[in-house]
Amino acid sequence: MNESEAQGAADRPVYLVEPWCVREPELRLDRLAQSESVFALSNGHLGIRGNLDEGEPHGLPGTYLNSFYEQRPLPQAEAAYGYPESGQTVINVTNGKVIRLLVDDEPFDVRYGRVHHHERVLDLRAGTLTRHVEWTSPADRRVKITSTRMVSLTQRAVAAICYDVEPVDAAVRVVAQSELVANEALPGGGRDPRASAILESPLVSEEHVANGTKVLLLHRTRKSGLRMAAGMSHHIEGPESMAVDTESSPDVGRLTVATRLEPGQRLRIVKYLAYGWSSQRSRPALHDQVVGALAGARQTGWDGLLAEQREYLDEFWCGADVEVDGDAEIQQAVRFSLFHVLQAGARAERRMIPAKGLTGPGYDGHTFWDTETFVLPVLTYTSPGAAADALGWRHMTLPLAVERAAQLGLDGAAFPWRTIRGHECSGYWPAGTAAFHINADISDAVVRYVDATCDERFEREVGVEVVVATARLWRSLGHHDVGGVFRIDGVTGPDEYSAVVDNNVYTNLMARRNLEAAADMAMRHPDLADRLGVTNEEAASWRDAAAAMLIPYDDRLGVHPQNENFTNHARWDFGGTKPELYPLLLNFPYFDLYRKQVVKQADLVLALHLCGEAFTEEQKVRDFEYYEGLTVRDSSLSAQTQAVVAAEVGQLDLAHDYLGETALLDLHDLNHNTRDGLHIASMAGAWNGLVAGFGGMRAGGGRLRFAPRLPGGISRLAFRMRYRDNRLRVNVTAEAATYQLLEGPGLKLWHHGEEFTLADEPIELPIKPVTARPTPGQPSGREPSSRRTL
């Protein structure tokens, strides 16, 4: 490729814009790692990155099992009480994706010979990744290769690959090698703290077996003591004269198929994969579990697995699809995002949802508050069972959270800032330990799920205990001052550029909601309250603290300060900060950030969204405008919240701009770190920006409310969602919104404050024009890209 051709390739989009798939029309080695994340497949239990079948070249190999980790030390420059001594890092487990091919002794490698055609397609309705290649070897032998892979959403332990090879114009001798590979070499990490730690050879072999077309490898981790098994089995179709052989060693299992193909003939290998892990089950038990999963997959067959996958996704899209007219990129992005959000939690089953899902090792595979605040709202209204499972995992880790609170001298539960199995893994306490708001975020997710589903069993078995434990934390962490006001001092809010502050507005409002919810649940379930030792006096103290909660307000500026004294700080010199110095955390000391008015991510503005009832309409307008001028969006979590609130205060075109940023973050690799895995919370922001933003959807207390309005760049928005055994569709144009009940008994809804009952017949209601206001400015150089120039 000459220089002009290379420049032309670089200028072309990596993925074509299509409504129901992500298509890569040519292989871009410079974007290989990004595509491996974009094309990752997962079901919440097992995740495989979109590496090429032959394994090389690669950007970052990756196969992950949810919550399967290795321990590593967390060295501190100075030891102090309460610091965690070890961390947890997700590891790349046994790779079953590899199928190597030799054509007349020449290894198939896209870096050699000639690639005539290379296309990959992620089908969002079929749940498959398909690859089409036509390649001529250095010895001038031309073949077509087609592979389709899936991670089953119905058979939790199973993945499968269908691999076809055909000669194009002459007979060829082909050898295919299907492998299981443990302890793959990984590229080194950089200086970005958002990337992962690299652990070399974390797996120790315990067993390897080859039998017929099956191979099984069992390993355990060196330090965390976890055990895993991976197995593969094959169905092979081809000429009668095939030679098939299997072998195994501690870290490699291999099936080799050799044959000669005439034009018109085909070699097909269907590879079934199964994975399992446990911290308690024995080696024989795991062995049998994987053998059983393989048997189930083979009995279902390739076509059966595809049919099950399509049926599962059809049911999901029936209650989750979003249609966007006027912005084709957003249309593709929101379905792509919903697909990956579903994959992250569909079959997690009492496991966490990591910040990267199972698409890459970024953030060491940890989960944060992102899950409860941004991801679970999407799942609650589209796939509520997945939301319940994620919250069930929090409940399972509650004893560790109680233990952590006691270590910190507090009552109740202190859930970890970042973790895999429930232990605190953040070594930086101002942003970690002090970010207590995660406890209210978890409580809020519990309350949201119960409200949306009326799942009383969940509330009794999971919800009450979590909400009570977190309420006890706030009553212990805060205090009534001499004037009777309830204060929560020395905490870190969502904005990590302000740490260890007094009375963060978001934290205090969410804590107030947590305290009120705990008192309400104790009243609804007196038997459980009695079992948890909740007295009438304690419940009353929760209500007293909530009623007396301090919510700072700056009368001079007429805005809410993010926390006490925030608006008295000097403003950051945005004009003097060069674009290449963002994100600021990689180029400036935290000391300087902490004492200036500069906001990493929406904090006070997040309070406007999630606790909107605490603000007047005028306060929302003024607060949003003020914080627009301070927020630099060095966090991928920010744009979606700014989109939602911008839409609420009538800044519809600005909301559209922010929606583009959150929805296209990974497809366009806007932060240049998609290689480490997708930003699952930002992907959830595509749905949040459209449904909560332009749909104006808010829910709580049995009330489902909408206040839809569209920007000029979107002519129609339609979305489906689930609420209290109802499945409904909302269709929005510039002039009106139509509400339709697709399934269920019917319900009361609110449209721009007007109550109505939705039953058998669709209801159309008019939308009043928005009040025009000047567009607020952003820090110099940090304006979102305009969608109006498309």
Side-chain angles (χ1 to χ4, degrees):
M1 184 182 293
N2 60 39
E3 184 175 341
S4 62
E5 289 173 330
Q7 183 60 51
D11 292 341
R12 289 193 293 272
V14 180
Y15 313 109
L16 301 183
V17 178
E18 300 180 38
W20 279 106
C21 70
V22 178
R23 186 184 308 273
E24 181 191 61
E26 61 182 326
L27 185 63
R28 292 275 297 272
L29 294 181
D30 62 320
R31 296 295 188 94
L32 193 57
Q34 176 195 1
S35 289
E36 289 167 351
S37 296
V38 167
F39 290 143
L41 296 174
S42 167
N43 61 12
H45 167 68
L46 165 66
I48 60 176
R49 282 174 62 82
N51 306 111
L52 301 179
D53 302 282
E54 57 274 17
E56 298 178 15
H58 61 246
L60 182 63
T63 303
Y64 311 104
L65 290 170
N66 194 338
S67 301
F68 190 83
Y69 70 95
E70 180 61 304
Q71 290 179 339
R72 63 184 179 90
L74 281 179
Q76 305 287 343
E78 296 182 10
Y81 179 80
Y83 282 0
E85 297 179 356
S86 65
Q88 300 164 351
T89 296
V90 66
I91 61 175
N92 177 32
V93 300
T94 307
N95 180 5
K97 301 185 294 289
V98 177
I99 301 178
R100 304 189 195 277
L101 177 68
L102 290 89
V103 178
D104 282 359
D105 300 327
E106 290 280 358
F108 167 49
D109 188 318
V110 294
R111 295 168 294 187
Y112 302 95
R114 284 172 290 163
V115 177
H116 304 281
H117 174 69
H118 194 289
E119 179 184 76
R120 289 189 286 179
V121 181
L122 178 66
D123 190 320
L124 306 176
R125 286 180 289 193
T128 56
L129 174 64
T130 300
R131 180 189 185 199
H132 300 283
V133 187
E134 192 162 328
W135 176 76
T136 295
S137 73
D140 207 30
R141 295 292 185 266
R142 189 162 177 165
V143 294
K144 288 194 299 185
I145 303 158
T146 301
S147 72
T148 302
R149 66 172 65 158
M150 63 176 297
V151 173
S152 176
L153 294 164
T154 58
Q155 299 188 32
R156 183 171 180 257
V158 170
I161 303 169
C162 182
Y163 189 88
D164 292 341
V165 183
E166 302 173 72
V168 172
D169 50 17
V172 294
R173 185 175 64 256
V174 298
V175 176
Q177 297 173 312
S178 174
E179 298 185 352
L180 289 174
V181 183
N183 288 319
E184 291 177 290
L186 298 175
R191 61 184 284 263
D192 191 334
R194 296 166 295 185
S196 66
I198 302 298
L199 303 179
E200 294 187 6
S201 300
L203 297 173
V204 178
S205 176
E206 288 194 325
E207 180 184 359
H208 58 92
V209 180
N211 181 17
T213 67
K214 293 198 295 285
V215 178
L216 201 66
L217 302 182
L218 279 87
H219 289 81
R220 60 173 173 81
T221 53
R222 296 180 185 276
K223 296 181 180 179
S224 61
L226 306 182
R227 176 178 282 121
M228 66 149 295
M232 64 179 182
S233 182
H234 302 80
H235 174 77
I236 305 167
E237 298 176 9
E240 291 184 4
S241 57
M242 289 190 298
V244 180
D245 182 55
T246 54
E247 58 185 312
S248 67
S249 61
D251 283 349
V252 178
R254 182 181 297 112
L255 174 138
T256 303
V257 181
T259 191
R260 179 181 174 85
L261 294 176
E262 300 287 342
Q265 292 183 317
R266 178 189 70 182
L267 172 65
R268 165 168 286 189
I269 300 173
V270 177
K271 181 177 187 177
Y272 301 101
L273 295 163
Y275 288 82
W277 78 267
S278 178
S279 59
Q280 298 180 338
R281 290 200 299 278
S282 67
R283 179 180 58 79
L286 267 181
H287 176 123
D288 292 349
Q289 176 189 343
V290 168
V291 169
L294 287 173
R298 288 201 59 143
Q299 188 277 328
T300 305
W302 173 251
D303 290 340
L305 287 172
L306 289 179
E308 289 180 356
Q309 192 88 333
R310 183 62 181 249
E311 183 179 357
Y312 185 101
L313 285 167
D314 283 348
E315 172 62 20
F316 170 71
W317 291 117
C318 279
D321 189 27
V322 178
E323 304 166 54
V324 181
D325 289 352
D327 192 329
E329 284 189 328
I330 296 296
Q331 174 65 89
Q332 178 189 50
V334 67
R335 286 177 174 149
F336 169 72
S337 298
L338 279 166
F339 177 76
H340 273 292
V341 168
L342 175 69
Q343 285 199 131
R347 301 301 304 276
E349 296 177 7
R350 300 301 174 98
R351 302 287 184 195
M352 62 164 188
I353 297 178
K356 299 292 187 180
L358 298 177
T359 69
Y363 291 115
D364 287 312
H366 292 164
T367 191
F368 297 75
W369 69 296
D370 312 15
T371 295
E372 282 76 19
T373 302
F374 302 105
V375 178
L376 291 196
V378 181
L379 291 175
T380 294
Y381 300 115
T382 61
S383 184
D389 279 339
L391 292 170
W393 170 76
R394 286 291 192 186
H395 180 254
M396 287 174 59
T397 66
L398 182 58
L400 291 173
V402 171
E403 181 181 310
R404 178 64 173 166
Q407 184 184 27
L408 298 174
L410 299 169
D411 296 334
F415 283 97
W417 176 242
R418 57 187 297 173
T419 188
I420 291 179
R421 292 289 298 281
H423 306 85
E424 179 60 73
C425 292
S426 172
Y428 184 63
W429 71 268
T433 299
F436 287 101
H437 67 83
I438 188 173
N439 299 282
D441 300 328
I442 293 169
S443 170
D444 194 49
V446 167
V447 172
R448 181 187 302 111
Y449 171 81
V450 171
D451 173 71
T453 63
C454 295
D455 188 342
E456 184 176 355
R457 179 178 176 181
F458 173 90
E459 183 176 27
R460 290 183 60 83
E461 294 181 356
V462 173
V464 174
E465 192 172 7
V466 169
V467 173
V468 164
T470 46
R472 283 172 166 162
L473 174 82
W474 296 116
R475 190 63 188 84
S476 172
L477 185 64
H479 70 283
H480 289 279
D481 66 14
V482 293
V485 174
F486 193 79
R487 303 177 55 89
I488 303 176
D489 297 330
V491 299
T492 299
D495 171 32
E496 294 164 31
Y497 286 173
S498 296
V500 195
V501 299
D502 294 341
N503 297 294
N504 171 257
V505 170
Y506 173 83
T507 300
N508 284 19
L509 285 174
M510 293 295 284
R512 181 168 75 184
R513 180 178 291 180
N514 192 167
L515 290 160
E516 291 171 343
D520 290 344
M521 282 189 177
M523 182 178 295
R524 285 199 301 273
H525 304 284
D527 58 325
L528 296 181
D530 184 64
R531 190 186 310 165
L532 295 172
V534 179
T535 63
N536 291 335
E537 291 77 12
E538 183 178 25
S541 76
W542 294 339
R543 294 194 187 279
D544 289 344
M549 187 71 68
L550 174 61
I551 309 299
Y553 186 76
D554 187 329
D555 291 306
R556 175 177 56 90
L557 295 176
V559 299
H560 289 85
Q562 188 168 277
N563 47 264
E564 277 190 303
N565 294 317
F566 178 81
T567 49
N568 292 327
H569 293 172
R571 292 173 71 99
W572 185 266
D573 181 12
F574 298 109
T577 304
K578 298 178 181 178
E580 61 268 23
L581 294 180
Y582 290 95
L584 300 178
L585 77 160
L586 298 184
N587 296 286
F588 294 92
Y590 271 116
F591 162 75
D592 205 15
L593 298 169
Y594 288 164
R595 63 196 190 98
K596 299 286 179 61
Q597 288 191 68
V598 55
V599 179
K600 178 182 180 183
Q601 65 198 67
D603 186 312
L604 191 284
V605 174
L606 182 61
L608 299 179
H609 173 202
L610 297 183
C611 304
E613 71 285 351
F615 304 88
T616 67
E617 295 304 313
E618 182 59 29
Q619 286 174 340
K620 290 178 182 179
V621 171
R622 291 180 62 85
D623 284 346
F624 179 74
E625 179 178 359
Y626 186 82
Y627 286 96
E628 274 294 281
L630 302 176
T631 304
V632 296
R633 301 191 316 287
D634 281 351
S635 166
S636 62
L637 301 178
S638 193
Q640 63 176 294
T641 298
Q642 290 171 272
V644 171
V645 179
E648 183 174 358
V649 300
Q651 299 290 348
L652 298 174
D653 288 335
L654 180 60
H656 192 186
D657 297 342
Y658 282 132
L659 171 65
E661 184 171 304
T662 191
L664 297 170
L665 182 69
D666 289 311
L667 283 174
H668 289 186
D669 197 13
L670 298 179
N671 283 2
H672 309 295
N673 61 358
T674 299
R675 62 167 284 121
D676 296 320
L678 301 177
H679 300 76
I680 300 300
S682 184
M683 302 185 91
W687 186 92
N688 286 322
L690 287 164
V691 176
F694 298 134
M697 190 278 287
R698 303 289 187 273
R703 292 164 54 96
L704 182 58
R705 295 161 288 142
F706 298 92
R709 285 194 176 97
L710 297 182
I714 295 177
S715 58
R716 185 181 70 91
L717 167 68
F719 55 88
R720 299 172 180 231
M721 61 178 292
R722 303 174 191 272
Y723 189 79
R724 296 196 168 191
D725 293 324
N726 294 281
R727 185 163 53 88
L728 59 149
R729 182 176 184 268
V730 181
N731 187 81
V732 183
T733 65
E735 297 79 23
T738 302
Y739 300 89
Q740 180 182 5
L741 183 67
L742 302 176
E743 182 182 34
L747 71 168
K748 288 184 178 180
L749 299 177
W750 282 259
H751 170 86
H752 286 285
E754 177 185 344
E755 180 182 337
F756 65 100
T757 298
L758 185 62
D760 296 332
E761 297 298 320
I763 295 178
E764 181 179 292
L765 297 170
I767 296 174
K768 295 180 181 178
V770 67
T771 302
R773 294 188 177 93
T775 302
Q778 293 76 39
S780 176
R782 303 304 286 170
E783 304 85 357
S785 297
S786 174
R787 304 298 296 171
R788 294 174 296 285
T789 61
L790 298 178

